[in-house]
Amino acid sequence: MDWKLEGSAQKTESHVLQEQEVTLEDTGEDGISESFQLLQIDVECEHREMTLPTSNAVWRSKNVQRKQRHWEKIVAAKKSKRRQEKERRKANRVENSGIYPQHSKRFLRSLTKERLLEAKHSGPRLCIDLSMTHHMSKKELSRLAGQIRRLYGSNKKADRPFWICLTGFTTDSPLYEECLRMNDGFSSYLLDITEEDCFSLFPLETLVYLTPDSEHALEDVDLNKVYILGGLVDESIQKKVTFQKAQEHSVKTARLPIQEYMVRRQNGKNYHSEILAINQVFDILSTYFETQNWPEALKKGVSSRKGYTLQNSVE
């Protein structure tokens, strides 16, 4: 009996296996290929997910490209500007070739040095009175240091330079430190620096203090005189500071002949001022000394913002 049961079980198991084999045979090669195709599609989808950039990455890429194009435009504009400046300098050299034909920069520097040293012995003299800087703020000292730099630069370019002396100027002062910070090569400037006051350095009868508060207009630049400019930048606009200082030492004063050659020009603020920076005053003196023409000199130094214009330019 047991043997019969075991035999029937074996037959049943064999029959099931045969049915599975028949099922596999019926499925055939088409089912296998379909499975492989599904597997391949899954792999390709995963590959695309890994390689395709996200929308955020695409946006970053476009942003980088936009910045790159903007930067390339800036670089191209700078190159064009440098090229134009180079061509302009070349044209100036050709135009001025009759004045300094084929001279090197070293030769031109030595020529400038020679002119400045010659002015020390035979040129007009200009003092910058720096004894009033102890009440000035850091901002005012910086502005004064910039004016000194521009004044010296204009004097170097002049055909007939002045000899400049900075008086009442100590090397441990905040202004001196500011000049060193703002002005390249300040320690090698060809000028005199002294702690002495201008009133004790020169005979009083040779001094002329230039101040806008003087009643006397300057008529000419005298080689026998020493002209003084007050090194004062005062945003609070204290009046007659330099004029009173000149009177205390019984020194002659003079103002630029703005009132004689210029007239007030109407403007929205109704602003008119004869107070100029020391480099502007120097530009006027230097231009007049070379041209002997006050209108031309005043036109160069007095900007339209001061509210004045030349008389012959008034409509």
Side-chain angles (χ1 to χ4, degrees):
M1 188 69 179
D2 293 336
W3 179 84
K4 289 182 179 180
L5 289 174
E6 290 177 0
S8 61
Q10 289 176 356
K11 290 180 180 180
T12 303
E13 183 177 355
S14 174
H15 181 71
V16 171
L17 290 174
Q18 289 177 358
E19 288 181 351
Q20 290 180 351
E21 290 176 358
V22 170
T23 303
L24 290 174
E25 290 176 357
D26 293 339
T27 303
E29 296 179 356
D30 294 337
I32 296 173
S33 62
E34 184 178 355
S35 300
F36 275 113
Q37 288 177 357
L38 292 175
L39 180 61
Q40 184 177 4
I41 292 173
D42 291 340
V43 173
E44 289 180 353
C45 289
E46 291 180 0
H47 179 69
R48 288 175 183 174
E49 290 178 357
M50 294 175 61
T51 57
L52 289 179
T54 63
S55 60
N56 190 29
V58 172
W59 181 85
R60 285 199 300 267
S61 177
K62 290 182 178 179
N63 192 30
V64 170
Q65 291 176 2
R66 180 180 59 80
K67 291 183 178 180
Q68 180 67 23
R69 288 194 297 269
H70 178 67
W71 175 250
E72 289 174 353
K73 289 181 180 179
I74 293 176
V75 172
K78 288 183 177 180
K79 288 183 179 179
S80 177
K81 186 176 180 180
R82 285 195 296 266
R83 184 167 56 252
Q84 293 175 0
E85 181 66 19
K86 185 177 180 180
E87 292 175 354
R88 186 188 65 81
R89 290 197 300 266
K90 183 178 180 181
N92 288 339
R93 286 196 298 269
V94 173
E95 182 179 353
N96 299 326
S97 59
I99 302 174
Y100 302 117
Q102 299 179 351
H103 288 324
S104 63
K105 291 183 179 180
R106 179 179 297 181
F107 176 82
L108 295 178
R109 284 195 297 267
S110 64
L111 188 63
T112 299
K113 181 178 180 180
E114 183 180 340
R115 285 203 307 265
L116 289 174
L117 293 177
E118 184 179 352
K120 183 175 184 178
H121 303 288
S122 58
R125 289 170 291 178
L126 180 73
C127 281
I128 311 298
D129 182 8
L130 300 175
S131 61
M132 300 172 285
T133 59
H134 51 282
H135 293 305
M136 293 168 58
S137 65
K138 177 68 178 298
K139 180 180 178 181
E140 292 169 341
L141 290 174
S142 296
R143 289 178 58 187
L144 181 57
Q147 293 176 15
I148 293 173
R149 180 187 69 245
R150 289 189 287 271
L151 186 152
Y152 182 76
S154 296
N155 196 44
K156 284 177 60 179
K157 297 176 183 177
D159 293 331
R160 303 176 67 188
F162 284 60
W163 181 250
I164 299 171
C165 184
L166 306 181
T167 62
F169 194 32
T170 58
T171 55
D172 59 349
S173 64
L175 177 60
Y176 187 85
E177 295 178 359
E178 197 66 15
C179 286
L180 289 176
R181 185 184 70 85
M182 294 185 61
N183 307 341
D184 293 336
F186 176 75
S187 58
S188 60
Y189 277 10
L190 289 176
L191 45 73
D192 284 333
I193 296 178
T194 177
E195 298 181 5
E196 291 188 61
D197 195 277
C198 57
F199 302 108
S200 59
L201 193 63
F202 302 99
L204 295 180
E205 62 272 14
T206 64
L207 298 179
V208 178
Y209 212 118
L210 298 177
T211 169
D213 301 306
S214 177
E215 298 178 355
H216 308 287
L218 184 65
E219 297 180 358
D220 197 5
V221 175
D222 190 348
L223 293 175
N224 296 320
K225 299 293 184 181
V226 180
Y227 297 94
I228 305 172
L229 295 179
L232 181 64
V233 175
D234 184 13
E235 295 185 347
S236 63
I237 313 297
Q238 299 181 26
K239 295 183 178 180
K240 297 187 176 182
V241 175
T242 54
F243 179 74
Q244 291 174 355
K245 188 172 184 180
Q247 283 191 324
E248 291 174 1
H249 294 84
S250 301
V251 169
K252 294 179 181 180
T253 61
R255 57 174 173 79
L256 295 174
I258 295 177
Q259 300 173 13
E260 285 70 22
Y261 293 94
M262 308 187 80
V263 295
R264 292 189 174 187
R265 181 173 56 87
Q266 292 183 354
N267 54 64
K269 297 182 180 180
N270 194 28
Y271 174 77
H272 304 89
S273 176
E274 298 182 30
I275 300 175
L276 305 176
I278 60 173
N279 60 292
Q280 294 173 326
V281 176
F282 175 77
D283 286 343
I284 295 173
L285 292 176
S286 178
T287 303
Y288 173 77
F289 186 61
E290 292 182 3
T291 64
Q292 298 294 303
N293 187 315
W294 278 118
E296 183 178 343
L298 292 169
K299 182 179 180 180
K300 183 174 182 179
V302 181
S303 67
S304 58
R305 291 176 297 178
K306 294 297 180 180
Y308 284 90
T309 186
L310 292 174
Q311 292 179 358
N312 56 8
S313 63
V314 178
E315 295 181 356

mmCIF file of all heavy atoms in Angstrom, residues 199-233:
data_model
loop_
_atom_site.group_PDB
_atom_site.id
_atom_site.type_symbol
_atom_site.label_atom_id
_atom_site.label_comp_id
_atom_site.label_asym_id
_atom_site.label_seq_id
_atom_site.Cartn_x
_atom_site.Cartn_y
_atom_site.Cartn_z
ATOM 1 N N PHE A 199 57.731 133.484 6.623
ATOM 2 C CA PHE A 199 58.000 134.871 7.008
ATOM 3 C C PHE A 199 59.398 135.039 7.598
ATOM 4 O O PHE A 199 59.938 136.151 7.600
ATOM 5 C CB PHE A 199 56.955 135.353 8.020
ATOM 6 C CG PHE A 199 55.541 135.255 7.502
ATOM 7 C CD1 PHE A 199 54.674 134.295 7.998
ATOM 8 C CD2 PHE A 199 55.094 136.108 6.507
ATOM 9 C CE1 PHE A 199 53.377 134.195 7.522
ATOM 10 C CE2 PHE A 199 53.798 136.015 6.016
ATOM 11 C CZ PHE A 199 52.942 135.061 6.530
ATOM 12 N N SER A 200 59.985 133.968 8.070
ATOM 13 C CA SER A 200 61.349 134.037 8.588
ATOM 14 C C SER A 200 62.374 133.519 7.579
ATOM 15 O O SER A 200 63.579 133.715 7.758
ATOM 16 C CB SER A 200 61.459 133.222 9.883
ATOM 17 O OG SER A 200 61.118 131.860 9.652
ATOM 18 N N LEU A 201 61.897 132.908 6.520
ATOM 19 C CA LEU A 201 62.803 132.314 5.539
ATOM 20 C C LEU A 201 63.250 133.335 4.489
ATOM 21 O O LEU A 201 64.367 133.233 3.968
ATOM 22 C CB LEU A 201 62.104 131.132 4.866
ATOM 23 C CG LEU A 201 62.957 130.184 4.033
ATOM 24 C CD1 LEU A 201 64.000 129.504 4.905
ATOM 25 C CD2 LEU A 201 62.075 129.140 3.348
ATOM 26 N N PHE A 202 62.402 134.310 4.180
ATOM 27 C CA PHE A 202 62.697 135.311 3.154
ATOM 28 C C PHE A 202 62.510 136.713 3.733
ATOM 29 O O PHE A 202 61.755 136.896 4.694
ATOM 30 C CB PHE A 202 61.775 135.131 1.937
ATOM 31 C CG PHE A 202 61.842 133.780 1.293
ATOM 32 C CD1 PHE A 202 60.885 132.804 1.580
ATOM 33 C CD2 PHE A 202 62.854 133.475 0.409
ATOM 34 C CE1 PHE A 202 60.935 131.567 0.981
ATOM 35 C CE2 PHE A 202 62.925 132.232 -0.193
ATOM 36 C CZ PHE A 202 61.964 131.269 0.099
ATOM 37 N N PRO A 203 63.181 137.700 3.139
ATOM 38 C CA PRO A 203 62.946 139.089 3.558
ATOM 39 C C PRO A 203 61.478 139.465 3.347
ATOM 40 O O PRO A 203 60.883 139.135 2.312
ATOM 41 C CB PRO A 203 63.873 139.897 2.642
ATOM 42 C CG PRO A 203 64.924 138.933 2.203
ATOM 43 C CD PRO A 203 64.252 137.602 2.127
ATOM 44 N N LEU A 204 60.890 140.143 4.316
ATOM 45 C CA LEU A 204 59.457 140.440 4.255
ATOM 46 C C LEU A 204 59.095 141.297 3.044
ATOM 47 O O LEU A 204 57.993 141.161 2.495
ATOM 48 C CB LEU A 204 59.023 141.139 5.549
ATOM 49 C CG LEU A 204 59.120 140.292 6.830
ATOM 50 C CD1 LEU A 204 58.660 141.114 8.041
ATOM 51 C CD2 LEU A 204 58.305 139.012 6.712
ATOM 52 N N GLU A 205 60.026 142.181 2.622
ATOM 53 C CA GLU A 205 59.707 143.060 1.490
ATOM 54 C C GLU A 205 59.620 142.310 0.160
ATOM 55 O O GLU A 205 59.112 142.847 -0.829
ATOM 56 C CB GLU A 205 60.734 144.184 1.377
ATOM 57 C CG GLU A 205 62.164 143.736 1.118
ATOM 58 C CD GLU A 205 62.934 143.443 2.404
ATOM 59 O OE1 GLU A 205 62.287 143.326 3.466
ATOM 60 O OE2 GLU A 205 64.169 143.332 2.337
ATOM 61 N N THR A 206 60.109 141.076 0.127
ATOM 62 C CA THR A 206 60.038 140.298 -1.125
ATOM 63 C C THR A 206 58.794 139.415 -1.195
ATOM 64 O O THR A 206 58.544 138.801 -2.229
ATOM 65 C CB THR A 206 61.280 139.401 -1.264
ATOM 66 O OG1 THR A 206 61.290 138.426 -0.199
ATOM 67 C CG2 THR A 206 62.554 140.227 -1.221
ATOM 68 N N LEU A 207 58.029 139.368 -0.106
ATOM 69 C CA LEU A 207 56.906 138.442 -0.036
ATOM 70 C C LEU A 207 55.610 139.079 -0.532
ATOM 71 O O LEU A 207 55.332 140.246 -0.252
ATOM 72 C CB LEU A 207 56.707 137.959 1.408
ATOM 73 C CG LEU A 207 57.875 137.173 2.026
ATOM 74 C CD1 LEU A 207 57.547 136.792 3.458
ATOM 75 C CD2 LEU A 207 58.223 135.954 1.199
ATOM 76 N N VAL A 208 54.823 138.290 -1.249
ATOM 77 C CA VAL A 208 53.480 138.692 -1.676
ATOM 78 C C VAL A 208 52.551 137.509 -1.382
ATOM 79 O O VAL A 208 52.677 136.442 -1.998
ATOM 80 C CB VAL A 208 53.425 139.044 -3.176
ATOM 81 C CG1 VAL A 208 51.994 139.411 -3.573
ATOM 82 C CG2 VAL A 208 54.382 140.176 -3.494
ATOM 83 N N TYR A 209 51.644 137.709 -0.437
ATOM 84 C CA TYR A 209 50.715 136.645 -0.056
ATOM 85 C C TYR A 209 49.479 136.739 -0.947
ATOM 86 O O TYR A 209 48.771 137.724 -0.947
ATOM 87 C CB TYR A 209 50.312 136.781 1.411
ATOM 88 C CG TYR A 209 50.050 135.465 2.096
ATOM 89 C CD1 TYR A 209 50.817 135.051 3.184
ATOM 90 C CD2 TYR A 209 49.031 134.621 1.663
ATOM 91 C CE1 TYR A 209 50.581 133.838 3.816
ATOM 92 C CE2 TYR A 209 48.797 133.413 2.274
ATOM 93 C CZ TYR A 209 49.565 133.024 3.364
ATOM 94 O OH TYR A 209 49.330 131.813 3.978
ATOM 95 N N LEU A 210 49.232 135.686 -1.716
ATOM 96 C CA LEU A 210 48.079 135.659 -2.609
ATOM 97 C C LEU A 210 46.856 135.164 -1.847
ATOM 98 O O LEU A 210 46.823 134.028 -1.369
ATOM 99 C CB LEU A 210 48.362 134.752 -3.806
ATOM 100 C CG LEU A 210 49.529 135.178 -4.702
ATOM 101 C CD1 LEU A 210 49.747 134.158 -5.812
ATOM 102 C CD2 LEU A 210 49.285 136.556 -5.284
ATOM 103 N N THR A 211 45.861 136.040 -1.730
ATOM 104 C CA THR A 211 44.643 135.727 -1.004
ATOM 105 C C THR A 211 43.459 136.382 -1.694
ATOM 106 O O THR A 211 43.565 137.525 -2.160
ATOM 107 C CB THR A 211 44.741 136.208 0.460
ATOM 108 O OG1 THR A 211 43.454 136.114 1.084
ATOM 109 C CG2 THR A 211 45.240 137.629 0.549
ATOM 110 N N PRO A 212 42.314 135.713 -1.787
ATOM 111 C CA PRO A 212 41.151 136.312 -2.461
ATOM 112 C C PRO A 212 40.555 137.493 -1.705
ATOM 113 O O PRO A 212 39.714 138.217 -2.265
ATOM 114 C CB PRO A 212 40.164 135.144 -2.537
ATOM 115 C CG PRO A 212 40.566 134.216 -1.445
ATOM 116 C CD PRO A 212 42.047 134.333 -1.345
ATOM 117 N N ASP A 213 40.981 137.719 -0.457
ATOM 118 C CA ASP A 213 40.443 138.825 0.351
ATOM 119 C C ASP A 213 41.237 140.115 0.196
ATOM 120 O O ASP A 213 40.887 141.126 0.810
ATOM 121 C CB ASP A 213 40.424 138.419 1.831
ATOM 122 C CG ASP A 213 39.565 137.178 2.072
ATOM 123 O OD1 ASP A 213 38.391 137.186 1.660
ATOM 124 O OD2 ASP A 213 40.080 136.204 2.655
ATOM 125 N N SER A 214 42.298 140.106 -0.620
ATOM 126 C CA SER A 214 43.109 141.313 -0.802
ATOM 127 C C SER A 214 42.371 142.337 -1.664
ATOM 128 O O SER A 214 41.555 141.981 -2.523
ATOM 129 C CB SER A 214 44.439 140.955 -1.458
ATOM 130 O OG SER A 214 45.211 142.120 -1.700
ATOM 131 N N GLU A 215 42.684 143.588 -1.443
ATOM 132 C CA GLU A 215 42.095 144.668 -2.241
ATOM 133 C C GLU A 215 42.899 144.926 -3.515
ATOM 134 O O GLU A 215 42.412 145.626 -4.415
ATOM 135 C CB GLU A 215 42.025 145.957 -1.415
ATOM 136 C CG GLU A 215 41.140 145.849 -0.180
ATOM 137 C CD GLU A 215 41.133 147.124 0.630
ATOM 138 O OE1 GLU A 215 41.910 148.051 0.268
ATOM 139 O OE2 GLU A 215 40.394 147.194 1.615
ATOM 140 N N HIS A 216 44.098 144.405 -3.606
ATOM 141 C CA HIS A 216 44.991 144.690 -4.726
ATOM 142 C C HIS A 216 45.040 143.504 -5.681
ATOM 143 O O HIS A 216 45.280 142.367 -5.269
ATOM 144 C CB HIS A 216 46.404 145.009 -4.211
ATOM 145 C CG HIS A 216 46.430 146.069 -3.151
ATOM 146 N ND1 HIS A 216 46.216 147.400 -3.424
ATOM 147 C CD2 HIS A 216 46.639 145.978 -1.805
ATOM 148 C CE1 HIS A 216 46.292 148.101 -2.312
ATOM 149 N NE2 HIS A 216 46.549 147.260 -1.311
ATOM 150 N N ALA A 217 44.801 143.803 -6.953
ATOM 151 C CA ALA A 217 44.873 142.758 -7.973
ATOM 152 C C ALA A 217 46.312 142.560 -8.423
ATOM 153 O O ALA A 217 47.070 143.522 -8.571
ATOM 154 C CB ALA A 217 43.996 143.130 -9.167
ATOM 155 N N LEU A 218 46.689 141.327 -8.641
ATOM 156 C CA LEU A 218 48.030 141.012 -9.124
ATOM 157 C C LEU A 218 48.146 141.437 -10.586
ATOM 158 O O LEU A 218 47.332 141.043 -11.423
ATOM 159 C CB LEU A 218 48.297 139.514 -8.982
ATOM 160 C CG LEU A 218 49.692 139.028 -9.366
ATOM 161 C CD1 LEU A 218 50.746 139.609 -8.429
ATOM 162 C CD2 LEU A 218 49.751 137.500 -9.341
ATOM 163 N N GLU A 219 49.153 142.220 -10.881
ATOM 164 C CA GLU A 219 49.316 142.736 -12.246
ATOM 165 C C GLU A 219 50.342 141.951 -13.049
ATOM 166 O O GLU A 219 50.201 141.807 -14.262
ATOM 167 C CB GLU A 219 49.721 144.222 -12.192
ATOM 168 C CG GLU A 219 48.663 145.118 -11.555
ATOM 169 C CD GLU A 219 49.090 146.578 -11.513
ATOM 170 O OE1 GLU A 219 50.238 146.866 -11.953
ATOM 171 O OE2 GLU A 219 48.315 147.410 -11.032
ATOM 172 N N ASP A 220 51.389 141.462 -12.378
ATOM 173 C CA ASP A 220 52.457 140.780 -13.101
ATOM 174 C C ASP A 220 53.152 139.813 -12.157
ATOM 175 O O ASP A 220 52.992 139.865 -10.932
ATOM 176 C CB ASP A 220 53.451 141.800 -13.644
ATOM 177 C CG ASP A 220 54.338 141.221 -14.742
ATOM 178 O OD1 ASP A 220 54.092 140.050 -15.129
ATOM 179 O OD2 ASP A 220 55.263 141.911 -15.208
ATOM 180 N N VAL A 221 53.935 138.903 -12.718
ATOM 181 C CA VAL A 221 54.751 137.973 -11.943
ATOM 182 C C VAL A 221 56.179 138.490 -11.965
ATOM 183 O O VAL A 221 56.830 138.523 -13.016
ATOM 184 C CB VAL A 221 54.680 136.543 -12.513
ATOM 185 C CG1 VAL A 221 55.641 135.626 -11.756
ATOM 186 C CG2 VAL A 221 53.254 136.004 -12.431
ATOM 187 N N ASP A 222 56.651 138.902 -10.795
ATOM 188 C CA ASP A 222 57.965 139.526 -10.652
ATOM 189 C C ASP A 222 58.971 138.487 -10.174
ATOM 190 O O ASP A 222 58.755 137.803 -9.167
ATOM 191 C CB ASP A 222 57.865 140.683 -9.657
ATOM 192 C CG ASP A 222 59.115 141.540 -9.626
ATOM 193 O OD1 ASP A 222 60.151 141.113 -10.195
ATOM 194 O OD2 ASP A 222 59.081 142.634 -9.024
ATOM 195 N N LEU A 223 60.083 138.359 -10.902
ATOM 196 C CA LEU A 223 61.116 137.391 -10.513
ATOM 197 C C LEU A 223 61.783 137.747 -9.194
ATOM 198 O O LEU A 223 62.411 136.884 -8.566
ATOM 199 C CB LEU A 223 62.168 137.283 -11.613
ATOM 200 C CG LEU A 223 61.700 136.663 -12.938
ATOM 201 C CD1 LEU A 223 62.815 136.727 -13.977
ATOM 202 C CD2 LEU A 223 61.248 135.228 -12.730
ATOM 203 N N ASN A 224 61.668 138.978 -8.774
ATOM 204 C CA ASN A 224 62.280 139.408 -7.517
ATOM 205 C C ASN A 224 61.363 139.212 -6.319
ATOM 206 O O ASN A 224 61.747 139.521 -5.196
ATOM 207 C CB ASN A 224 62.680 140.880 -7.614
ATOM 208 C CG ASN A 224 63.747 141.123 -8.671
ATOM 209 O OD1 ASN A 224 64.686 140.327 -8.813
ATOM 210 N ND2 ASN A 224 63.611 142.188 -9.446
ATOM 211 N N LYS A 225 60.185 138.697 -6.550
ATOM 212 C CA LYS A 225 59.231 138.480 -5.472
ATOM 213 C C LYS A 225 59.088 136.986 -5.180
ATOM 214 O O LYS A 225 59.360 136.129 -6.029
ATOM 215 C CB LYS A 225 57.859 139.055 -5.833
ATOM 216 C CG LYS A 225 57.844 140.570 -6.075
ATOM 217 C CD LYS A 225 58.122 141.334 -4.793
ATOM 218 C CE LYS A 225 58.013 142.842 -5.010
ATOM 219 N NZ LYS A 225 58.293 143.606 -3.775
ATOM 220 N N VAL A 226 58.645 136.710 -3.960
ATOM 221 C CA VAL A 226 58.324 135.343 -3.553
ATOM 222 C C VAL A 226 56.826 135.304 -3.273
ATOM 223 O O VAL A 226 56.341 135.993 -2.373
ATOM 224 C CB VAL A 226 59.111 134.921 -2.302
ATOM 225 C CG1 VAL A 226 58.741 133.494 -1.906
ATOM 226 C CG2 VAL A 226 60.614 135.038 -2.535
ATOM 227 N N TYR A 227 56.108 134.514 -4.037
ATOM 228 C CA TYR A 227 54.659 134.459 -3.915
ATOM 229 C C TYR A 227 54.263 133.314 -2.978
ATOM 230 O O TYR A 227 54.819 132.219 -3.052
ATOM 231 C CB TYR A 227 54.016 134.297 -5.292
ATOM 232 C CG TYR A 227 54.285 135.476 -6.186
ATOM 233 C CD1 TYR A 227 55.375 135.471 -7.070
ATOM 234 C CD2 TYR A 227 53.497 136.620 -6.108
ATOM 235 C CE1 TYR A 227 55.642 136.572 -7.874
ATOM 236 C CE2 TYR A 227 53.758 137.727 -6.918
ATOM 237 C CZ TYR A 227 54.829 137.694 -7.784
ATOM 238 O OH TYR A 227 55.109 138.799 -8.576
ATOM 239 N N ILE A 228 53.304 133.595 -2.115
ATOM 240 C CA ILE A 228 52.890 132.637 -1.089
ATOM 241 C C ILE A 228 51.449 132.230 -1.329
ATOM 242 O O ILE A 228 50.568 133.066 -1.554
ATOM 243 C CB ILE A 228 53.019 133.240 0.325
ATOM 244 C CG1 ILE A 228 54.436 133.755 0.571
ATOM 245 C CG2 ILE A 228 52.657 132.204 1.386
ATOM 246 C CD1 ILE A 228 54.582 134.527 1.873
ATOM 247 N N LEU A 229 51.217 130.936 -1.273
ATOM 248 C CA LEU A 229 49.869 130.381 -1.310
ATOM 249 C C LEU A 229 49.581 129.702 0.022
ATOM 250 O O LEU A 229 50.416 128.945 0.522
ATOM 251 C CB LEU A 229 49.718 129.360 -2.445
ATOM 252 C CG LEU A 229 49.854 129.871 -3.874
ATOM 253 C CD1 LEU A 229 49.693 128.709 -4.858
ATOM 254 C CD2 LEU A 229 48.833 130.945 -4.168
ATOM 255 N N GLY A 230 48.425 129.985 0.584
ATOM 256 C CA GLY A 230 48.056 129.346 1.850
ATOM 257 C C GLY A 230 47.608 127.918 1.631
ATOM 258 O O GLY A 230 46.614 127.668 0.942
ATOM 259 N N GLY A 231 48.351 126.988 2.192
ATOM 260 C CA GLY A 231 48.000 125.567 2.074
ATOM 261 C C GLY A 231 46.894 125.237 3.053
ATOM 262 O O GLY A 231 47.127 124.641 4.108
ATOM 263 N N LEU A 232 45.689 125.616 2.688
ATOM 264 C CA LEU A 232 44.554 125.482 3.594
ATOM 265 C C LEU A 232 43.350 124.941 2.829
ATOM 266 O O LEU A 232 42.898 125.543 1.855
ATOM 267 C CB LEU A 232 44.213 126.846 4.213
ATOM 268 C CG LEU A 232 43.049 126.889 5.203
ATOM 269 C CD1 LEU A 232 43.365 126.052 6.442
ATOM 270 C CD2 LEU A 232 42.743 128.335 5.595
ATOM 271 N N VAL A 233 42.859 123.811 3.273
ATOM 272 C CA VAL A 233 41.601 123.267 2.768
ATOM 273 C C VAL A 233 40.635 123.277 3.935
ATOM 274 O O VAL A 233 40.796 122.527 4.898
ATOM 275 C CB VAL A 233 41.763 121.837 2.222
ATOM 276 C CG1 VAL A 233 40.407 121.263 1.814
ATOM 277 C CG2 VAL A 233 42.717 121.832 1.043
#
